[in-house]
Amino acid sequence: MQKKTLPVSIFLIAIVFTVVITAVVTHFIEQKQTLDSDSVVKITRNDLDDVQDLYDLISTNYVDKVDKEQLIQGALKGMTESLEDPESEFLTAKETKELNAEVAGSFEGIGASLQLENRLPVIDRVPVKNSPAENAKLKAEDIILEVDGQKTQDKSLDQVASMIRGKKGTQVKLLIQRGSEKFEVSLERDVVPEDTVKGELDSQNKSIGSIQIDNFRDTTALEFRTIVENLREKGASSFVIDLRQNSGGLVAEAERVASYFLENGDTIAQFSNNKKVISTDKASKKIDQGFKVKEPTVFLVDQESSYGAELLAAAVKSKNYPIIGVNTFGKGSVQSLSPIGEDNYVQLTIMRWFTPDGSSVEGKGVAPTIEADYPEYAKLPPISKQSNWRIGDSGTAVKNVNTILKALGYSTEGDLFNDATKDAVVKIQTENNLTATGALDNKTIDILQEELFKLVKTNDVAYAKAIETLTE
């Protein structure tokens, strides 16, 4: 079962399906190059005497029973946190496994991708080839009504995905609706690759291929190459590469995609420790296997484009490819994952990376060559479900509600839930077969944010600018 990742081209994903935060940007598992031996700080026994003394004191004198393993893990975690580097962290075995699974781009499920329609999960495209879903003859547009007897109505995509995913070899039973027919299927979960790249021809101009890269995992470059070749066969003679909300992932995969667009010998990125540049990576046949993209191409970025996405954007920007959007996240560090003890790991910042001209993106990001920002209403936070908003309520949350309603065509403004706000809410509730209370309950909030999502999707300023740039 693949949890649906809504199009990166729409910033509102951060509003509709809870915020996807920058923790994902640290997913870099491979160490770029061994550091010089003189950069390693030698720790003597005397340096750790205080740590040992505190451990002994707590172990022997603390009033309650002490979990010594937890005590050690706490010390390791505290030592890492003292670096005050958000990208360096101590990871337990469980956390490391989860990180590895995300970077590997696979999971245990049924191989179907979902989206919400009328507050029900719907299979939105053909299931992954040879997956349990395909083998069970599930199809795009099938509606999943129940998972193991639990109804899916009004549940989030995350909740449904959690219900369906599970260990390889275990069974999951689904109640499916296909048209007017309802039927049950039992599937055996298996390891399913999770695509990081999606592509299609532009809906208006069939000579333009639109490609979205969600993240850089260990299959991303191959996925990207395959999609480019498929779109070429369908008539694409130029491309829009969407890196918005791409949180980074494996830098080697980002470099491989960058090499597709550069001439052999062009610098992709530079890497340094705290003393000097230790690596300058260049485009080459060794990296890209001779595959190149020569067609006119533009790249889309936003403030959530991070790490590997920034490395790719900076590399192609150095060769005068148009970069459309807003400044990227600004993550210029590189992490490695090292074992500590039998089951624990430390993710540690070991290098900085720099653009081909030697500039750092840390804290400032990659600037676009063409600015194209989102509409202001797309940047609003999710509507709080802590209150059943109604007449007389006021404040920032209500102001955001009125802003969203105004964007949808209603005559609302200000930070007061007034008659205009109530009338708009009543109309939305009536049109969606909800009780017309005029109060903003959770179901009405979900509908309101779905409508806003659709609005942003049809008013994607950056994507429109990309099409304009390619057709000028």
Side-chain angles (χ1 to χ4, degrees):
M1 162 62 203
Q2 179 176 345
K3 181 175 68 176
K4 172 64 176 175
T5 301
L6 295 174
V8 172
S9 59
I10 309 301
F11 179 71
L12 190 61
I13 188 172
I15 298 175
V16 179
F17 296 116
T18 69
V19 180
V20 179
I21 308 298
T22 58
V24 186
V25 303
T26 65
H27 293 353
F28 174 54
I29 298 296
E30 57 189 33
Q31 181 170 337
K32 183 72 179 161
Q33 181 169 326
T34 303
L35 299 180
D36 293 342
S37 59
D38 60 1
S39 70
V40 179
V41 178
K42 299 300 182 182
I43 303 297
T44 68
R45 177 66 184 85
N46 289 338
D47 293 321
L48 298 177
D49 279 347
D50 290 346
V51 176
Q52 182 67 53
D53 289 345
L54 179 58
Y55 174 82
D56 292 341
L57 181 66
I58 294 174
S59 298
T60 58
N61 293 286
Y62 184 65
V63 64
D64 293 324
K65 183 178 180 180
V66 176
D67 184 329
K68 294 186 178 181
E69 178 63 26
Q70 187 173 349
L71 197 62
I72 293 171
Q73 289 194 355
L76 296 172
K77 183 176 181 181
M79 193 179 298
T80 309
E81 289 178 348
S82 73
L83 298 172
E84 296 184 350
D85 174 11
E87 312 303 342
S88 296
E89 59 181 323
F90 174 78
L91 302 171
T92 64
K94 180 176 182 294
E95 291 168 333
T96 305
K97 182 179 179 181
E98 291 172 353
L99 187 148
N100 279 330
E102 289 192 35
V103 175
S106 64
F107 57 91
E108 294 177 350
I110 66 170
S113 176
L114 301 181
Q115 66 180 8
L116 288 179
E117 293 183 9
N118 299 317
R119 301 184 299 283
L120 280 168
V122 179
I123 298 177
D124 76 317
R125 53 192 166 107
V126 176
V128 175
K129 188 173 180 62
N130 297 321
S131 67
E134 185 193 51
N135 294 336
K137 309 301 182 185
L138 296 184
K139 299 180 179 180
E141 300 185 2
D142 282 350
I143 301 171
I144 301 178
L145 300 176
E146 294 181 4
V147 179
D148 288 332
Q150 297 184 55
K151 295 185 182 301
T152 59
Q153 179 82 38
D154 295 327
K155 285 185 167 57
S156 69
L157 286 179
D158 284 338
Q159 289 173 316
V160 176
S162 295
M163 293 162 65
I164 295 177
R165 285 187 177 182
K167 291 184 178 181
K168 177 181 177 180
T170 59
Q171 297 284 325
V172 61
K173 183 180 293 185
L174 306 179
L175 176 61
I176 302 294
Q177 179 173 326
R178 180 179 297 165
S180 59
E181 180 187 5
K182 295 181 181 180
F183 57 93
E184 283 191 346
V185 292
S186 291
L187 303 90
E188 182 175 306
R189 299 178 178 101
D190 202 348
V191 175
V192 180
E194 187 169 20
D195 295 340
T196 59
V197 186
K198 304 174 183 67
E200 61 184 2
L201 295 178
D202 180 72
S203 59
Q204 302 298 318
N205 190 328
K206 300 300 182 182
S207 68
I208 298 176
S210 176
I211 302 176
Q212 167 195 332
I213 306 178
D214 292 341
N215 206 328
F216 291 99
R217 296 172 179 161
D218 59 6
T219 58
T220 298
L222 178 59
E223 291 175 39
F224 182 85
R225 174 174 177 169
T226 300
I227 286 177
V228 168
E229 291 172 335
N230 289 341
L231 291 176
R232 282 172 173 169
E233 292 177 359
K234 294 177 180 178
S237 57
S238 60
F239 296 99
V240 178
I241 312 301
D242 196 338
L243 301 175
R244 290 177 293 179
Q245 291 198 331
N246 181 317
S247 56
L250 295 176
V251 75
E253 290 297 292
E255 287 191 306
R256 188 166 288 113
V257 175
S259 189
Y260 293 158
F261 293 92
L262 306 182
E263 297 294 332
N264 289 343
D266 288 341
T267 297
I268 299 173
Q270 302 177 53
F271 299 84
S272 75
N273 58 17
N274 61 348
K275 294 186 177 182
K276 62 182 180 180
V277 172
I278 58 175
S279 174
T280 298
D281 291 0
K282 298 178 181 291
S284 67
K285 186 175 182 180
K286 182 178 179 181
I287 293 178
D288 58 39
Q289 289 77 51
F291 179 78
K292 297 291 184 181
V293 179
K294 300 290 188 179
E295 294 89 344
T297 303
V298 300
F299 293 79
L300 302 181
V301 296
D302 67 3
Q303 59 266 51
E304 300 297 326
S305 303
S306 181
Y307 192 27
E310 294 178 284
L311 183 147
L312 170 55
V316 296
K317 181 181 178 181
S318 73
K319 303 306 294 184
N320 299 317
Y321 282 90
I323 309 295
I324 299 176
V326 296
N327 272 43
T328 60
F329 181 81
K331 181 181 184 294
S333 59
V334 179
Q335 283 70 46
S336 70
L337 199 67
S338 302
I340 298 294
E342 293 185 4
D343 298 316
N344 304 315
Y345 290 78
V346 167
Q347 181 171 273
L348 189 67
T349 297
I350 53 150
M351 285 185 293
R352 307 286 180 190
W353 71 268
F354 298 87
T355 64
D357 66 2
S359 301
S360 172
V361 304
E362 186 68 32
K364 60 183 180 181
V366 178
T369 58
I370 302 172
E371 289 195 7
D373 205 352
Y374 302 99
E376 289 302 314
Y377 55 75
K379 303 176 184 179
L380 295 175
I383 300 172
S384 172
K385 293 184 178 181
Q386 297 299 313
S387 296
N388 193 27
W389 303 106
R390 62 185 67 243
I391 281 281
D393 288 339
S394 61
T396 302
V398 174
K399 182 178 180 180
N400 292 343
V401 168
N402 281 334
T403 301
I404 292 172
L405 289 169
K406 186 173 183 178
L408 293 171
Y410 298 97
S411 300
T412 57
E413 58 184 356
D415 62 358
L416 178 64
F417 198 120
N418 53 24
D419 287 333
T421 309
K422 179 180 178 181
D423 291 344
V425 171
V426 166
K427 186 173 182 181
I428 290 172
Q429 290 171 330
T430 301
E431 290 175 348
N432 288 275
N433 299 318
L434 299 178
T435 304
T437 63
L440 204 55
D441 56 26
N442 288 352
K443 289 185 178 180
T444 309
I445 287 174
D446 289 340
I447 291 171
L448 182 57
Q449 295 191 150
E450 285 177 19
E451 290 302 313
L452 184 61
F453 176 83
K454 294 175 184 176
L455 178 67
V456 175
K457 185 176 181 180
T458 58
N459 290 277
D460 189 344
V461 178
Y463 184 79
K465 188 64 179 178
I467 299 299
E468 177 186 330
T469 301
L470 288 173
T471 54
E472 284 179 346

